[in-house]
Amino acid sequence: MTTRRPLVDQVGGQLRRAGAVAVVGPTGFGKSQVLDDVCSAWQAAGDPVVRLSSARTDAQIAYAPLMDLFSACPAEVRGELSDLQRSAMDWVLRRVGGPEPDTTTFRVTVLSCLHAWGRRARPLLAADDVQWWGPGSLDVFGFAARRSRGSVSLLAALRPDGPSPHDVLGGGAVEIGIPPLGPQESIAVVRSFGIPLRAAARIHTATGGSPRLVSDIAAGLARAGIPIDALDATPLAPYARHAMRARLADLAEPVRRVLLLAALAAEPTPAGVRRAAGSSAEAALAAAEAAGVVRVTAGAVVFTAPVLREGIVAEAGGEAVRRAHRVLAAASLAADDRAWHAACALGATETAPELVPGLAEAAASARGRGDHIRAAEFGLLAVDRAGGGRPDLLVTAARDAEAAGRFDLARTALDRLIRTRAGPAARARAGFAVLDAAGRGAALLADVAAQALADATAAAEPALVSAAHLRLAWSAHLDRGYPADALIHAEHAVAWAERAGDPAGRAAALTMAARIQQGRGTPDHVDTLRRALEAGAAAEAGADAAAGRDPGGRRPAPRRRTPEQDGGVDPEPHAGIDPGTGHGPNPGQAAAPTPGSAPAPTDHAPEPTRASPEHAHAPAHAPTAAREHAPDPTTAGARIIHDPRRVAVCFALLEDRPAEAERLLAELRPLVGDGNGPADLVRLLGSAVQLHAHTGDGRTAREEAARLVALARDVGASPGPPWYAAATAELAGGTLEQALGYAELGLAASEEETDSVFAAHCLHLSGAVRLFRRDTAGALADLLRVRDLTRELCIGDPAAIPYHADLAEALVAAGDVEAATLTVAEARGRAEELARRSVLAALDRAEALCHAAAGRFPPAEELLTTALATFERLAYPLECGRVLLARSAVEHRRRRPARARESYAAAEAVFRAAGAPLWAPARPERAGAPAGLAGLTEAEQRIADLVADGRGNRDIANSLYVSVKTVEAMLTRIYRKLGVRSRVQLVALVHRELTELGHRDGRRSPNDRPPSSVSR
C-alpha cells in the first residue's frame, strides 16, 4: 500500500502539537499504514515508539495490549515502580501466576510506567486494531491516557463502528478521518503494477478509492498474469475477495441479508429496503453505515465501493440471491423493477419467454429516461430469458451500452451475437457500437473494424458499408502513419452513404473527411464541412418530418433516423426484418452496389464472406417501444463526435472564432441531456474546456475539466482527452505543476491506446509547461517529439497542434537561434496560407526572441507590438500576457530594467486577473547571478555552468538538444565576453564567481548555483 505523505505529515504535526491523535476509517482504508509511517518518522527523530497491536483472536486474552507496553518498558523505568506494580506487570506478562490483580492496580501501574518513561524521553504509544481490545484493556488504557498527556504521545487507529477516540485517548484528542484515495493516488498504485490508465480508472471507480481494495485488485491482476490492455473488461470482484471479506467480516448475518437486498436493487432506497426486509432494515443499514460499507440518505442507499456490492452478491451464493430477488419482486413498486427481479429469480439457464416483452419494455423505459446502462442490462437479461437468439435485442443493448460509454457491455452483446445465429447486418451494427464505445481506443480493435466491414458488405446494405468505412477512417485517423488510409475510408463512407440515400450517414462521413483534411492543412476542409452541415440539416429535417414536428422545432436528441436509413432493424414485419436473424431486406431487393459506381468496399479490408442463412425462430414482434428511442446503429453511434456542428466548434477555435464556437456549443448542449447518455457529454465537455481556456476563463475551464474527468472515469471512457483537457484548464487557471502532471497522464493514456493524435497534443502541452518552468532540455525533448509525430501524422495545419512557436522559444533558450529561426519560417508559410491569426501572432513573438538573441532589437520590438495587437483583437488575454513577458525579457536583454519591470508587472496583472499561473516562474532580473557572468545571455550562462560541471561539448549538445557546432560557437562568444582563452580559465572563473556569491548569500558550497533562466 502506498505512502500517503500529506496525511502522514498532518497526523505527525497534530501529534506533536496536541499529544493525542486518533486516525479513523473503515477497514481497508490504510490506517495501519499511516501508523507505520508516523512511527517511522517518530523513531527517525530519536524518540522511542511502542506499538500496541491486537487481532480478532486476542479479544479473549485479558489485557493483551498491555503485554506490548510492559515488554517494551526499559529496566530503569521498571526500577522506579513499586513491588506491587512490578508484580502486576509480571502477571500480565505471565511471568507469575496467582489471582488477577484488581483494576485499580493495573490503572496505577500503567500510569506510573508512562510518567516514569516520559521523564526520560518522549515515547509514542501507537495502538492499532483497538476494536479487538477487551473492556479491561480499554478501561486501563483510557484511564492512563487521560492523565499522562504531556508525558507521552498517544496515537490510535480506530474504526467508525469501534470505540470512540474519547474512550481510548481521553478528551482533547484530535480526530483525523482517513479519506479514500483520490483518482490520481489510485492510479499511481495501480500503474505500479503495470496496469494501463483506463483500467486503473475503472479500478478506482469500482473500489471507491479504498486503498486496500485498490491494491488488492491491482496485485491480484498482476499475480494472475492476465494481459491487461486499455480496453480490458476483466471482472474485478474476484481479485478483491480477501479485502472484501475483511471489510464485511464483522457484520452480523442479519445485516448481510439486508445488504444483499440493497445490493440487488437497481437503485436501493431506505424505504425500498424496509419494504423488502421489514423492521430489521433500519438497524442493519445503520450498522453497515457505521462499518463504512454504505452511505444512507433519505432517498438512497449507496455502497461506498461498487465492488463491495458485487462481493456481497458473490458471497451470498446462487440460491440466496434468487430468494432475495423473489422478495424484491414482491416488494417493488415499479413494474420495471418487478420484471427485473422476477427474471433474475430464475436459474441461470432457465428460460421464460413470457417475461421477454416486459423486459424489453423496461429497457425502453430506462432508455427514455436516459439510463442507457440499465437499458443495456435489461436487453441482455431479456436475451437470457428468451433462451438465446433475438439479435434485435442484442443490437439494441450494444447501442445502449455505447451511449453510456460502457465498452464492456457492448462487447458482451457483440460476443453473444457472434455465438448466436445472427445475420451479418446485426453483427455489423453491434460491432459499430463496440468501436464507438472504445472511444479513442478504437485503434486497438482493428479486427472488430475489419469484421464489421465484412459483415456490412455481406449484408449488402450500403448504409452499413458506409458506417463501417466511417469507423475504419476514425481508427486510422488516431493511429500514426495512416492519414491517407483514413481519408480514403472517409471518402468511401461518403460514397456509400450517398448510394444509400442516407443524409445522416453522409453528414457523419463528410465530417470525418473534413477533420482529416483540416489536419493535413488542405483548404478544401471548409467546403467539406459546409456540405456536412447541409447534410446534417437535411437529416434533421427528415427526422422532424418523420416525427410530425415542424421544421425548426425542437432538436431531437439524438438525431433520429428511419428504419430504412438504419439498414433495417425495424421490429414490424412489414419492414422485412427477421428479429431472429437480424437480416435486412433480400439482397436482391436492396440497392446493391454495381461495379464502378462507388468505391470498392474491399479496398482496405479482407474479402468479406457472406454468412450462410441461419434462422433461429423467435417472436415475430419485438415491442415497438424498445426501438422507439434507441441510438442510431450506423452513423451516429458516437453521435456528437461525428456531428458536423461539434467539428465546426473545433474549427472555429482553430480559426480564432471563439464567439462562433460558443454559439455552436450552445446548439449542441440540448443534444447531450438525459436522452443521450454520458458518452456524448464527455465529448462536448472537452470542447467547452478548450473554449474557456482560450478565452482566459480559467475558473470555468477547471470546473468543466473536473466534471469531465470524473464523468469519463465513471463511464470508463478513454482517459487521454479528459486528462489533456484538465491540463489545459490548469494552465489557464491552476498551477504549472498540476498542468504538467495531467499532461503526463494524458500522454501515458494516449500511448496505451495508440492514440497518436492526442499523444502529440499532450506532449505539446507538457513541453510548453516545461518551458515556462525553465526546463529547457525537457521542453525540447517533448516538443521535438511533437514535431516528429505531426510529420508522421501528416498534420499540415500549424493550428492543429500549435507547437512551432514554443519549439522556437525553447531553441532560443538552448542557444540555437539558427534552428529557431528556421522553425518559425517553416511554420509561417503554412499559417499565412491558411490565415491562422493566433499562430502567426505566436510566431511573431518567437521570432522577436530570435532577433533579440542576435541583438536586433528594433525588429523584435515591432514584432512584439504586432503580436500583442493581434491577441488583443482576438481577446486571448493569456497570450497577451505571454507577449508582455517576452517584451520584458527583450527589455532586460537591452539592459533597460525599468521597462523590463513595467512589462513584467503588466503581464503579472493579466495572469492574476485571469486566475492563471504566471507563464514564467522567475522575475527577469537575475539578482543572484554572479557579477562577472552577468554579461552572458541565459543560454550562454547555462553552457558556462555545464562546462564548469565538467561536461564535454558533445554531452552539452545532447543535453540541450543542439548541435556540437552550436555549442562551439557559443563557447567562442563566451570566451570573448569574459576575456578568457581556455576552458580551464572559464571553469576557474565560474567557480570563483560562485564562491564569492556564496559568501555574500551565506552559502557554503560553490555548487549551490542559482537556476538559469529561460529566454522569454
Side-chain angles (χ1 to χ4, degrees):
M1 195 169 294
T2 186
T3 295
R4 305 175 72 178
R5 180 52 53 191
L7 181 60
V8 171
D9 291 343
Q10 179 190 6
V11 173
Q14 290 288 0
L15 199 55
R16 295 283 183 186
R17 286 188 292 272
V21 174
V23 291
V24 182
T27 299
F29 264 50
K31 300 184 295 297
S32 297
Q33 182 67 53
V34 171
L35 259 64
D36 288 344
D37 294 334
V38 172
C39 289
S40 296
W42 198 272
Q43 286 176 313
D47 293 319
V49 172
V50 179
R51 293 295 297 264
L52 310 179
S53 301
S54 290
R56 183 192 297 269
T57 54
D58 298 338
Q60 305 305 317
I61 301 175
Y63 303 106
L66 301 187
M67 292 181 178
D68 295 324
L69 174 62
F70 292 158
S71 295
C73 182
E76 59 269 24
V77 171
R78 179 183 172 89
E80 291 192 24
L81 304 183
S82 68
D83 291 341
L84 180 61
Q85 292 167 350
R86 285 195 296 270
S87 177
M89 293 177 69
D90 289 338
W91 188 91
V92 169
L93 296 172
R94 304 303 188 261
R95 293 172 180 169
V96 299
E100 177 182 329
D102 61 80
T103 302
T104 302
T105 299
F106 281 129
R107 286 179 171 183
V108 175
T109 299
V110 172
L111 181 60
S112 300
C113 177
L114 297 182
H115 279 158
W117 205 342
R119 288 192 290 269
R120 288 170 171 76
R122 177 72 175 185
L124 169 64
L125 269 62
D128 200 0
D129 290 316
V130 178
Q131 69 271 13
W132 303 124
W133 287 15
S137 298
L138 284 171
D139 174 80
V140 170
F141 190 83
F143 174 88
R146 289 190 291 273
R147 291 163 176 80
S148 61
R149 197 74 57 80
S151 297
V152 297
S153 296
L154 305 168
L155 176 63
L158 307 175
R159 291 194 331 200
D161 57 342
S164 72
H166 177 82
D167 292 338
V168 178
L169 302 177
V174 175
E175 182 177 340
I176 297 177
I178 304 289
L181 294 176
Q184 287 179 272
E185 291 176 307
S186 292
I187 286 169
V189 174
V190 175
R191 295 199 73 218
S192 68
F193 290 91
I195 295 173
L197 268 165
R198 190 165 181 174
R202 187 165 72 95
I203 291 172
H204 173 79
T205 300
T207 61
S210 167
R212 175 75 179 278
L213 290 171
V214 169
S215 59
D216 274 20
I217 290 174
L221 289 169
R223 281 194 303 271
I226 299 173
I228 304 294
D229 62 28
L231 298 176
D232 186 77
T234 301
L236 302 178
Y239 300 97
R241 189 171 291 117
H242 182 71
M244 288 191 294
R245 285 174 176 168
R247 188 83 170 265
L248 304 171
D250 299 322
L251 297 178
E253 185 58 33
V255 177
R256 292 183 180 224
R257 285 197 296 270
V258 171
L259 283 177
L260 177 61
L261 294 169
L264 293 173
E267 296 177 353
T269 64
V273 174
R274 277 195 298 272
R275 283 196 304 273
S279 58
S280 63
E282 191 168 342
L285 290 176
E289 185 170 32
V293 176
V294 296
R295 290 189 298 272
V296 182
T297 65
V301 177
V302 179
F303 283 83
T304 55
V307 76
L308 287 177
R309 191 172 187 171
E310 300 173 35
I312 288 168
V313 175
E315 289 291 309
E319 182 52 42
V321 169
R322 288 190 290 274
R323 186 165 54 249
H325 274 301
R326 288 193 289 272
V327 171
L328 287 165
S332 296
L333 300 179
D336 293 355
D337 290 338
R338 288 196 297 272
W340 173 267
H341 292 300
C344 289
L346 301 176
T349 59
E350 289 185 69
T351 61
E354 70 279 5
L355 297 179
V356 173
L359 291 170
E361 292 289 353
S365 175
R367 187 179 307 117
R369 60 179 183 269
D371 189 351
H372 290 276
I373 294 177
R374 194 67 176 153
E377 292 172 338
F378 268 117
L380 292 172
L381 182 59
V383 175
D384 285 340
R385 294 302 166 248
R390 295 307 301 270
D392 56 325
L393 293 177
L394 285 171
V395 170
T396 305
R399 286 186 256 149
D400 280 317
E402 182 279 319
R406 286 290 300 272
F407 171 81
D408 57 330
L409 291 177
R411 187 70 199 235
T412 296
L414 174 60
D415 290 344
R416 292 172 67 173
L417 257 174
I418 292 172
R419 293 195 299 268
T420 65
R421 301 172 67 83
R427 294 198 303 269
R429 293 184 179 97
F432 300 155
V434 168
L435 292 166
D436 294 337
R440 303 192 73 89
L444 298 173
L445 299 172
D447 57 332
V448 176
Q451 187 59 49
L453 177 58
D455 287 333
T457 305
E461 297 184 30
L464 292 181
V465 178
S466 172
H469 279 295
L470 177 66
R471 270 70 179 188
L472 285 165
W474 175 246
S475 179
H477 173 63
L478 299 179
D479 210 357
R480 74 176 69 185
Y482 300 107
D485 285 1
L487 187 57
I488 289 171
H489 280 299
E491 290 168 348
H492 284 7
V494 173
W496 283 104
E498 289 173 347
R499 177 170 298 281
D502 176 7
R506 181 169 177 269
L510 286 167
T511 299
M512 187 73 243
R515 186 196 298 270
I516 299 166
Q517 291 168 344
Q518 181 276 324
R520 299 180 73 180
T522 56
D524 47 358
H525 73 272
V526 176
D527 181 63
T528 303
L529 182 62
R530 177 189 58 77
R531 291 160 58 204
L533 290 166
E534 290 173 354
E540 198 163 278
D544 286 339
R549 293 190 296 269
D550 292 333
R554 71 167 182 86
R555 295 186 181 276
R559 190 177 292 127
R560 310 295 175 212
R561 303 170 61 221
T562 66
E564 290 75 20
Q565 289 171 324
D566 284 351
V569 187
D570 188 275
E572 298 300 327
H574 67 263
I577 304 299
D578 182 353
T581 65
H583 284 303
N586 186 300
Q589 300 172 346
T594 57
S597 60
T602 57
D603 284 353
H604 294 274
E607 181 69 22
T609 302
R610 181 175 297 277
S612 58
E614 302 168 323
H615 300 275
H617 297 289
H621 297 270
T624 302
R627 292 284 302 117
E628 187 177 1
H629 300 292
D632 186 279
T634 50
T635 58
R639 290 157 301 281
I640 290 298
I641 197 169
H642 294 308
D643 190 304
R645 286 169 296 184
R646 179 179 179 268
V647 175
V649 171
C650 300
F651 286 7
L653 290 173
L654 292 174
E655 296 163 5
D656 305 307
R657 294 178 279 112
E660 182 177 348
E662 187 170 13
R663 177 184 62 77
L664 290 166
L665 275 174
E667 285 187 21
L668 288 169
R669 283 192 181 99
L671 302 186
V672 295
D674 292 340
N676 263 22
D680 284 337
L681 183 56
V682 166
R683 294 164 183 131
L684 202 61
L685 282 173
S687 297
V689 170
Q690 298 302 319
L691 173 62
H692 294 307
H694 265 71
T695 54
D697 186 358
R699 182 184 62 80
T700 304
R702 291 183 73 200
E703 291 173 354
E704 296 279 57
R707 184 181 174 201
L708 167 61
V709 169
L711 182 61
R713 183 176 63 247
D714 289 344
V715 303
S718 297
W723 285 125
Y724 170 74
T728 302
E730 283 293 320
L731 195 54
T735 67
L736 295 179
E737 292 74 15
Q738 193 65 71
L740 181 60
Y742 288 154
E744 290 173 338
L745 285 171
L747 172 63
S750 299
E751 289 178 335
E752 288 166 358
E753 297 192 354
T754 69
D755 181 355
S756 298
V757 174
F758 258 94
H761 278 294
C762 293
L763 276 169
H764 172 220
L765 204 58
S766 66
V769 175
R770 293 185 202 279
L771 186 62
F772 302 151
R773 298 179 70 189
R774 309 299 168 98
D775 176 9
T776 304
L780 277 172
D782 286 348
L783 294 169
L784 289 172
R785 285 185 64 194
V786 176
R787 184 187 65 184
D788 293 342
L789 275 173
T790 56
R791 288 174 178 175
E792 292 175 13
L793 291 164
C794 299
I795 293 177
D797 186 343
I801 304 178
Y803 71 94
H804 307 83
D806 293 323
L807 176 57
E809 290 194 30
L811 289 166
V812 170
D816 198 343
V817 178
E818 182 180 353
T821 304
L822 182 61
T823 298
V824 170
E826 289 176 347
R828 188 179 291 281
R830 296 293 291 140
E832 288 176 345
E833 180 183 343
L834 297 171
R836 298 293 187 246
R837 292 174 292 170
S838 63
V839 173
L840 289 168
L843 292 172
D844 286 343
R845 182 190 65 238
E847 187 176 351
L849 293 174
C850 294
H851 283 303
R856 298 186 295 270
F857 296 114
E861 178 60 33
E862 183 178 348
L863 285 166
L864 289 173
T865 300
T866 301
L868 184 61
T870 300
F871 284 130
E872 286 175 342
R873 284 195 300 273
L874 295 175
Y876 291 169
L878 300 183
E879 293 294 346
C880 291
R882 192 171 177 188
V883 174
L884 290 169
L885 288 171
R887 176 175 285 170
S888 174
V890 171
E891 295 293 354
H892 180 66
R893 190 184 288 274
R894 298 180 74 176
R895 300 183 182 278
R896 301 199 292 196
R899 293 189 179 185
R901 286 192 294 271
E902 181 182 345
S903 294
Y904 196 90
E908 281 186 317
V910 169
F911 285 99
R912 190 182 307 113
L918 190 67
W919 290 0
R923 299 193 65 81
E925 295 83 1
R926 288 162 51 201
L933 307 181
L936 301 181
T937 66
E938 289 87 345
E940 291 167 348
Q941 164 128 20
R942 188 173 298 104
I943 287 181
D945 286 347
L946 292 172
V947 169
D949 283 339
R951 309 276 285 275
N953 287 0
R954 185 169 300 278
D955 192 15
I956 294 172
N958 290 337
S959 65
L960 296 180
Y961 292 88
V962 297
S963 66
V964 175
K965 183 179 178 181
T966 297
V967 174
E968 292 170 348
M970 294 186 71
L971 277 172
T972 300
R973 290 198 298 272
I974 292 169
Y975 291 170
R976 185 172 61 250
K977 288 183 178 182
L978 299 181
V980 298
R981 297 185 178 182
S982 69
R983 202 178 194 91
V984 173
Q985 291 180 346
L986 174 60
V987 172
L989 175 61
V990 171
H991 278 276
R992 183 171 66 251
E993 293 287 343
L994 287 170
T995 300
E996 293 175 1
L997 177 64
H999 289 318
R1000 291 197 301 270
D1001 292 348
R1003 298 173 185 168
R1004 293 174 178 256
S1005 170
N1007 293 322
D1008 292 336
R1009 296 190 182 91
S1012 301
S1013 59
V1014 171
S1015 173
R1016 300 299 306 146

